[in-house]
Amino acid sequence: MLKYRSPEELHVNLVNWISKQFSAIGVTKAVLGISGGIDSALLSVLLSEVLSPENVIGVIMPCHSLSLDEQLALELADKFRFQVKKVDLTQTYNTLISSINATDNISSSLALANIKPRLRMTTLYVIAQENNALVCGASNKDELMYGYFTKHGDSGVDILPLSDLLKGEVYSLSKYLGVIDKIIDRPPTAGLWDGQTDEEEMGISYNELDSFLLGLEIHDDIKRAKIEKAITLSVHKRRYPLMP
């Protein structure tokens, strides 16, 4: 069984850390995308506790998305009382794709899918600047180390409070803080296309990633090599642009 830090310990440390960062910067408001997934749900709850719900703006940004995404996000906001805004990016996405394909027909489905988080990043920064708020990202340690995030998309934020949490710790802390069960029980997905799930796309389970990052032995040589390769290939995503 994996040895995670206790949710009580994680809660205290994260609340203190978030409070310290916002105080140091002198900002009292936060903006984040809420997707109906567990990571953004946990982050919105923590931010609401530290800053108070009226200072947290959760932005729902559908873009050829499932209706369940919005439904779960609204249920969460209703329970924890933080603000919600909705910006439908579907038409913006369609227009951009049409414009790009008019000069350069894009065949990569991943290249097209990655436009969505980059549009969301732009949207969050507009709302944050208007409200003098920090843009908060919900990526966890597994995603950041494996490179399972979009460069200048969901990584384009001011602060990443969950960046030291393994996925198992995200689950335990979410349960501890009362995130709704329908979100906790939902298979993790970035919502990039219909039926997409994180683990299927990565080809690795979060449990296996947690084990690797905890320094435990991965008995499947192919999967261990896959994780090591992904970490190496995604180094550029965790660094500033190269500069002379």
Side-chain angles (χ1 to χ4, degrees):
M1 188 171 184
L2 297 178
K3 185 168 179 57
Y4 296 122
R5 291 165 291 184
S6 72
E8 294 86 356
E9 176 190 353
L10 293 171
H11 181 221
V12 170
N13 289 344
L14 279 169
V15 164
N16 289 338
W17 187 86
I18 293 169
S19 178
K20 184 177 180 179
Q21 303 313 312
F22 274 82
S23 296
I25 297 169
V27 173
T28 60
K29 294 184 178 181
V31 170
L32 75 158
I34 49 173
S35 63
I38 192 169
D39 299 296
S40 63
L42 174 59
L43 181 57
S44 64
V45 172
L46 287 166
L47 291 170
S48 296
E49 179 179 350
V50 175
L51 304 175
S52 77
E54 63 270 19
N55 288 325
V56 177
I57 303 171
V59 188
I60 300 171
M61 295 171 283
C63 186
H64 297 288
S65 307
L66 298 174
S67 59
L68 180 61
D69 296 348
E70 182 174 345
Q71 176 188 324
L72 292 175
L74 289 173
E75 286 185 32
L76 183 79
D78 183 62
K79 179 174 181 178
F80 291 96
R81 301 299 178 187
F82 58 84
Q83 294 188 63
V84 176
K85 295 181 184 291
K86 178 179 176 180
V87 181
D88 193 325
L89 297 173
T90 304
Q91 190 56 51
T92 303
Y93 175 83
N94 292 344
T95 300
L96 181 57
I97 295 301
S98 178
S99 298
I100 293 172
N101 282 337
T103 57
D104 189 1
N105 192 41
I106 306 300
S107 59
S108 168
S109 59
L110 187 57
L112 296 176
N114 277 329
I115 291 173
K116 297 177 182 180
R118 289 174 176 139
L119 288 175
R120 290 173 175 137
M121 178 274 290
T122 301
T123 304
L124 292 175
Y125 269 100
V126 172
I127 295 172
Q129 188 168 357
E130 181 66 18
N131 289 274
N132 190 30
L134 292 183
V135 176
C136 301
S139 296
N140 57 61
K141 188 171 185 175
D142 290 42
E143 294 165 342
L144 291 170
M145 291 304 299
Y146 196 80
Y148 189 67
F149 60 91
T150 300
K151 195 172 185 178
H152 307 308
D154 45 336
S155 66
V157 296
D158 298 315
I159 186 171
L160 284 165
L162 308 184
S163 59
D164 192 45
L165 267 63
L166 298 169
K167 191 69 172 185
E169 294 175 328
V170 170
Y171 276 105
S172 67
L173 185 54
S174 295
K175 292 175 183 176
Y176 177 74
L177 295 179
V179 171
I180 59 179
D181 290 339
K182 284 184 284 187
I183 289 178
I184 292 175
D185 296 338
R186 189 182 190 196
T189 174
L192 297 179
W193 55 79
D194 287 343
Q196 183 262 350
T197 66
D198 294 357
E199 293 179 323
E200 183 177 354
E201 188 183 355
M202 290 189 295
I204 297 289
S205 73
Y206 277 115
N207 192 65
E208 289 166 330
L209 260 178
D210 282 358
S211 296
F212 182 90
L213 295 174
L214 283 169
L216 302 177
E217 185 177 356
I218 305 294
H219 297 289
D220 187 319
D221 292 341
I222 294 176
K223 289 191 174 181
R224 184 178 64 254
K226 186 179 181 70
I227 295 172
E228 291 171 345
K229 182 178 180 180
I231 291 174
T232 299
L233 291 178
S234 62
V235 166
H236 71 97
K237 301 174 79 172
R238 295 184 292 274
R239 290 179 176 172
Y240 281 110
L242 297 174
M243 293 178 281

